[in-house]
Every structure is written in C-alpha cells, then in structure tokens.
Amino acid sequence: DVVMTQTPLSSPVTLGQPASISCRSSQSLVHNNGNTYLSWLQQRPGQPPRLLIYKISNRFSGVPDRFSGSGAGTDFTLKISRVEAEDVGLYYCMQTTQFPWTFGQGTKVEIK
Amino acid sequence: QVQLVESGGGVVQPGRSLRLSCAASGFTFSSCGMHWVRQAPGKGLEWVAVISYDENYKYYADSVKGRFTISRDKSKNTLYLQMNSLRPEDSAVYYCAKGGRDILTGGDYWGQGTLVTVSS
C-alpha cells in the first residue's frame, strides 16, 4: 500500500496569513496513463470531507482561489494564501493512483 | 445538485451483519464509480471499497475483504455495503463517495455518513 505522510500535523495560523501543508508518498503517484491522482480534502468539524484539489493542482468546483496545490512524483503541497476563519479543520491528502486509496494522517489548521 | 444520503447504521453485536445504503441523486448514477470510506471516532479516513460504473470492477481494503460486499442498484440509484462478521474495529462513520467513470477518479462528493457501532 502507498503510505502518505503529512507535515505538519498541526498548523496554528494567524487570520490573513498563509498556511502550507506537505504530503509525501512512499512511492511515485504517476500512473501509467501519465496522470497523478493526488487530491486534497478538507474536513470541517462535524462535517464530511470535501474535495478541494484533484490531480495535484486542479481546484474543484466552488473552491476559493486562495487554495492551491502543487508538486510532482512523491512530494506535494497544499497552500492557503490567506487563512480565513472558515478554513479551520482537518486537511487530508489522498492518493487514488492505485488501490487501496490511502490518506495522509490529517493536518489540523487552527487559528492562533 | 449532487446528493448522497447514507442510511442503515446502528449498534450491532460482534459477528452480526448490517447493510448500509446510499441514495444518490443529482447526477447520472449509472455513469459513475462509487466508493465507501470510513472514519473511526477521532481517527483519520480509511477507504473501504469501490464499485465501477459498469460493476465490472470491485475492490476492497484488506481489512474487510471476504466480509464486506459492495453492490449497486441502478434502477434505484442506490449503493449498498453488506457487512458480515462485524468486529469492534469496524466501528466508524461510513461515508459513500462519488467517483468518476474512470475508476481512479473520485471523492468529488461525499455523503453525511452513517454511524456503525459494533459492541456487545
């Protein structure tokens, strides 16, 4: 199974300041078809997960442009350019390049 | 708009069975793969199973293989998860998640989840 490792596990951020979360996979997420199936999910307290980013850097419908994804191969990053109060919650990276899908441990974003 | 509504959760004794349902609407159910993902209380996400849009492919996590069965009824736009021989470690909120026609894509929409508690 592909192991996904996120850092940091906790990220206290001042409102309006940027935040960055890293995700590393134990093996390359580049599929034979050339696509890299790395996604980012947000889970607000008491809510189900919500897709933010797919295939490394594509924002899902309705996701604010302060969220951006980057990376390649085994190293990926989610950035929030200016954190807002509604961004508080857990963030997970997820690989769907091969089964079983696997997730990072989650990074808690909270306001300082 | 896309809606996924899970049901069927509850408290069940170890060794017993339970069937979860996920009613889908707002998209072409017959064209999309569908997944089950679970989350134990206070823990992270664990993928459980997938069924392709044409039912030709079904994959399971090793932790549930041989005990859980994923299925779908296109006439009812409903996804199912039959869970047999339940164990305390199966206790979790179970989410259904919409996939794409490509079995590798998915997780674009999630239901609110249904809680399963396995306890004597």
Side-chain angles (χ1 to χ4, degrees), chain A residues 31 37 43 48 92 96 101 103, chain B residues 35 39 45 95 102 104 107 111:
Chain A
H31 191 270
Y37 296 93
Q43 189 174 31
Y92 295 92
T96 63
W101 284 6
F103 300 85
Chain B
H35 300 257
Q39 186 171 36
L45 299 166
Y95 297 104
D102 176 357
L104 297 175

Side-chain angles (χ1 to χ4, degrees), chain B residues 64-82:
Chain B
V64 307
K65 203 172 292 182
R67 300 187 299 123
F68 290 13
T69 302
I70 190 171
S71 62
R72 64 193 299 163
D73 185 335
K74 293 179 182 179
S75 68
K76 295 182 179 178
N77 281 3
T78 301
L79 174 73
Y80 301 102
L81 186 68
Q82 177 66 43

Side-chain angles (χ1 to χ4, degrees), chain B residues 45-88:
Chain B
L45 299 166
E46 180 189 16
W47 175 82
V48 173
V50 62
I51 184 168
S52 62
Y53 75 96
D54 56 7
E55 302 182 51
N56 284 344
Y57 299 97
K58 298 179 185 180
Y59 298 110
Y60 299 91
D62 285 346
S63 57
V64 307
K65 203 172 292 182
R67 300 187 299 123
F68 290 13
T69 302
I70 190 171
S71 62
R72 64 193 299 163
D73 185 335
K74 293 179 182 179
S75 68
K76 295 182 179 178
N77 281 3
T78 301
L79 174 73
Y80 301 102
L81 186 68
Q82 177 66 43
M83 306 187 294
N84 298 332
S85 304
L86 282 162
R87 305 167 180 167

Side-chain angles (χ1 to χ4, degrees), chain B residues 9-42:
Chain B
V11 180
V12 61
Q13 292 179 328
R16 304 298 290 263
S17 299
L18 209 57
R19 189 177 81 155
L20 305 183
S21 300
C22 170
S25 61
F27 65 100
T28 306
F29 182 71
S30 59
S31 296
C32 295
M34 295 294 296
H35 300 257
W36 287 101
V37 177
R38 67 185 181 184
Q39 186 171 36

